[in-house]
Amino acid sequence: MLDHPTSRFSSCPVSPPAPTGDAPPSPHGLTCSLIVPGEPYSAQIARTTVRSVLHAHRLDPLAPAAVQVTGELIAAAWHLDPGRSLYLAVRYREDSLRLTVYDGHASHAHPRLAAHCEARRRAALRVMAAVVRDCDGAWGFGESREPGGGTRTWATLPVSGAARYLSA
């Protein structure tokens, strides 16, 4: 017989009660990710998903800016890394929406090739950069910290800026 007092054992955590009614999820709980194929049609899939997720979290005013940014991020990643899966993450934190796309295009070791590739990515993201600027947001890209490497490209849209996008 084992000599363990029952006070040392704890029960498994109990699930919280299911929500009642039709209350939508809080915007503060928004965290969503999606893997799409590295194909031309993937931008449409990603845009539709982001619009639906924002609607479900009562963030519809952010949709025009977020959908445009999502499409641009996915399209640029597809052009730079065609045929390989792309990973999209959507997060809401601190009154900002953060959209991040990971692609498998790794940085080049040669400085000239790296500079050329960086210039191509910036050029591909001109429209997105303008949208982010109009929303008083920020964006950037760099090496992915994920296993297998690649590139992480992100944009942050503050709620106040994204909500007024296209409203003028």
Side-chain angles (χ1 to χ4, degrees), residues 5 10 13 16 24 27 38 42-43 47 51 58 66 77-79 86 106-107 111 122-123 134 159 164:
S10 64
S42 294
R47 287 191 304 263
R51 184 180 306 281
R58 299 178 298 197
W78 167 70
H79 278 288
L86 306 171
S107 337
R122 285 189 190 285
D134 286 352
V159 169
R164 73 174 182 269

Side-chain angles (χ1 to χ4, degrees), residues 12-96:
C12 293
V14 177
S15 297
T20 57
D22 292 329
S26 163
H28 299 287
L30 192 160
T31 180
C32 177
S33 59
L34 174 70
I35 297 174
V36 295
E39 300 294 336
Y41 59 83
S42 294
Q44 178 61 35
I45 294 169
R47 287 191 304 263
T48 301
T49 301
V50 166
R51 184 180 306 281
S52 295
V53 167
L54 292 176
H55 178 72
H57 286 83
R58 299 178 298 197
L59 293 169
D60 294 291
L62 310 184
V67 166
Q68 183 68 42
V69 167
T70 298
E72 299 294 329
L73 285 169
I74 293 289
W78 167 70
H79 278 288
L80 291 162
D81 194 31
R84 293 204 287 180
S85 295
L86 306 171
Y87 177 86
L88 168 67
V90 182
R91 306 279 186 268
Y92 181 89
R93 302 288 184 276
E94 300 172 6
D95 292 324
S96 290

Side-chain angles (χ1 to χ4, degrees), residues 6-19:
T6 57
S7 62
R8 288 189 181 177
F9 295 104
S10 64
S11 63
C12 293
V14 177
S15 297

